[in-house]
Amino acid sequence: MNIVVLISGRGSNLAALLEAKLPATVAAVISNKADAAGLALARAHGIPALVVAHRDYGSRAAFDAALAAAIDRHAPALVVLAGFMRILTPGFVGRYAGRLINIHPSLLPSFTGLDTHRRALEAGVKIHGCTVHFVTPELDHGPIIAQAAVPVLEDDTEVTLAARVLAEEHRILPQAVRWFAQGRLVIVDGRVRVADEL
Ligand code: GRF
């Protein structure tokens, strides 16, 4: 089963996927940023790594069309947004409906969007975390596949909280991909159920 992973930066979630020995192959890594460190990580693993730079396209739709063309060359069963920092058009999301997932650094539906750790600290929440979900046209609102919660400590900073959440991201994203590869994710009335091991 082929997976294509989209990144924009460091690629620590990509690294977690590569280390997880999943029943799937990362067929390509695509970034919208040429300086994404995750591209070098992919190349070090012998994985095709390419850049589709959004600034090279005149519109969001043109960028998404180029991105889809690059993705489809690898005929993925699953596309994983792993630290991918672009909002995708409804047309793109519709093309990959049911096989496009994202890792978001908050307990959705709380703290959709950016700067989740700073906002969690400002809100004074005692529990924070991360979510893997199917991507739908509405940003950060798709059916939830997996979540992990972490405590927010008195002396937490954005950096210490982000690190605690990131460690959990590296656990639940591979788990979600494994369940998908095993064909165990079922969406009923907009909610995800993980079927028993076949
Ligand atoms: C992660 O916190 C992810 O949840 C967010 O981007 C951050 C960077 O991820 N979307 P990575 O280290 O590039 O995988």
Side-chain angles (χ1 to χ4, degrees):
M1 189 195 100
N2 274 2
I3 299 173
V4 169
V5 180
L6 306 188
I7 64 170
S8 294
R10 176 182 47 190
S12 72
N13 277 292
L14 168 65
L17 290 173
L18 296 175
E19 285 153 24
K21 301 283 181 281
L22 295 167
T25 304
V26 177
V29 172
I30 303 174
S31 177
N32 61 312
K33 306 284 287 293
D35 61 351
L39 291 167
L41 175 72
R43 292 179 184 127
H45 282 79
I47 297 168
L50 55 147
V51 177
V52 179
H54 54 276
R55 67 181 74 256
D56 292 348
Y57 298 89
S59 70
R60 197 173 283 278
F63 167 74
D64 282 9
L67 185 60
I71 289 168
D72 291 349
R73 244 171 254 131
H74 302 276
L78 178 66
V79 180
V80 180
L81 307 181
F84 187 67
M85 305 306 277
R86 291 280 301 166
I87 294 176
L88 296 159
T89 59
F92 181 96
V93 171
R95 184 187 185 87
Y96 298 103
R99 58 187 177 115
L100 178 62
I101 66 174
N102 180 47
I103 175 85
H104 180 77
S106 81
L107 290 174
L108 293 176
S110 297
F111 306 117
T112 57
L114 299 175
D115 296 327
T116 60
H117 308 306
R118 176 180 58 73
R119 291 159 56 205
L121 289 171
E122 280 172 5
V125 297
K126 301 307 176 190
I127 299 292
H128 187 38
C130 49
T131 303
V132 181
H133 63 95
F134 283 104
V135 176
T136 56
E138 193 180 354
L139 183 70
D140 298 334
H141 273 74
I144 292 170
I145 301 168
Q147 293 190 303
V150 301
V152 180
L153 306 179
E154 286 297 313
D155 58 351
D156 261 330
T157 63
E158 203 177 327
V159 170
T160 57
L161 183 55
R164 192 171 309 120
V165 171
L166 194 62
E168 291 304 305
E169 293 180 37
H170 295 165
R171 187 174 60 76
I172 67 169
L173 183 59
Q175 179 64 69
V177 173
R178 185 179 305 280
W179 284 335
F180 186 96
Q182 292 170 337
R184 295 175 60 190
L185 296 179
V186 181
I187 304 178
V188 179
D189 297 333
R191 285 186 295 282
V192 178
R193 292 205 328 240
V194 183
D196 291 341
E197 192 108 25
L198 300 178

